Amino acid sequence: MFEIFMVAMWLGLVFNAAPGAVFSESLRRGIRGGFRPAFAVQVGSLVGDAVWAVLGLAGVGALFAVPALRVPLTVTGCLLLAWLGAAGLRDALARKVPDPTAEPCDKQDRKAMAVGAGMSLANPWNVVYWSGAAGGVGAVLGSGGTTELGVFFAGFMASSMLWCLISAGSIVVLRRALPSVAVRVLEACCGVSLLVFAILQLCRLM
């Protein structure tokens, strides 16, 4: 059981630590609003990742190879990324710096979490990843049943939550070290990166 848990922990770190659109959005929100919005984006994405992991390990990943499912979902994800990228550029270029305290923290957190979940759920390539990983996970679990699978899933989620904390905490440290001009530049870079991710995701449909 301990070996299964540790393998799941390692897989979770590898899966979550890869730079991508979720980190860009966490960084964009975190350098303005601090730890809570950055962490909320990460947690929202983790919810979506958990859904895809369950579907992929259950063997339904092949369904998302069907264009009727994959194309609309991917286009939705591209539009979401493009919208977030445009928002990042708009805020970076605005004359008046957006005030992160203009709305209640709970409302900001809910929005950030919904965005994170939407980014993950609108990326059907996550379920393709888990479908491919199913063979390796099966080799680790051996002939184990639901208990072993539960331990594996717990390890993956624990590792992912740890990464959420590390990522959001690192963003806060960076935020405190940057002057306001650098914050604008970094926010613009996040906006551009989100637009690039949207284009790259759309290109995968071609």
Side-chain angles (χ1 to χ4, degrees):
M1 289 295 183
F2 179 75
E3 180 181 356
I4 293 173
F5 187 84
M6 293 308 297
V7 169
M9 288 277 290
W10 174 251
L11 183 62
L13 282 176
V14 171
F15 180 81
N16 289 285
V22 172
F23 180 76
S24 295
E25 180 62 13
S26 298
L27 181 58
R28 185 180 79 85
R29 290 177 182 264
I31 57 175
R32 288 293 185 191
F35 179 86
R36 290 183 59 161
F39 182 69
V41 172
Q42 294 281 334
V43 172
S45 174
L46 179 57
V47 173
D49 291 341
V51 172
W52 287 130
V54 170
L55 293 176
L57 293 175
V60 299
L63 291 176
F64 292 90
V66 179
L69 291 176
R70 177 170 52 86
V71 172
L73 193 59
T74 303
V75 171
T76 300
C78 292
L79 292 175
L80 176 59
L81 291 176
W83 176 68
L84 294 173
L89 289 175
R90 179 201 63 204
D91 292 344
L93 299 175
R95 291 185 179 181
K96 183 178 180 181
V97 178
D99 183 7
T101 63
E103 61 181 358
C105 291
D106 289 344
K107 187 175 181 179
Q108 291 185 56
D109 294 346
R110 287 194 297 271
K111 285 183 177 180
M113 189 174 294
V115 165
M119 293 173 72
S120 180
L121 291 172
N123 183 8
W125 302 105
N126 282 349
V127 77
V128 174
Y129 169 87
W130 280 108
S131 296
V137 172
V140 172
L141 298 180
S143 58
T146 56
T147 301
E148 287 76 7
L149 184 59
V151 170
F152 178 88
F153 198 70
F156 176 82
M157 295 300 290
S159 176
S160 299
M161 184 59 70
L162 177 62
W163 175 253
C164 291
L165 292 169
I166 293 173
S167 179
S170 300
I171 291 171
V172 170
V173 173
L174 178 64
R175 174 178 178 253
R176 292 173 178 172
L178 291 178
S180 58
V181 174
V183 168
R184 283 179 176 269
V185 171
L186 187 56
E187 193 166 29
C189 290
C190 290
V192 171
S193 68
L194 288 167
L195 291 173
V196 170
F197 282 125
I199 294 171
L200 292 176
Q201 188 163 314
L202 186 62
C203 288
R204 298 177 76 174
L205 284 177
M206 306 303 180

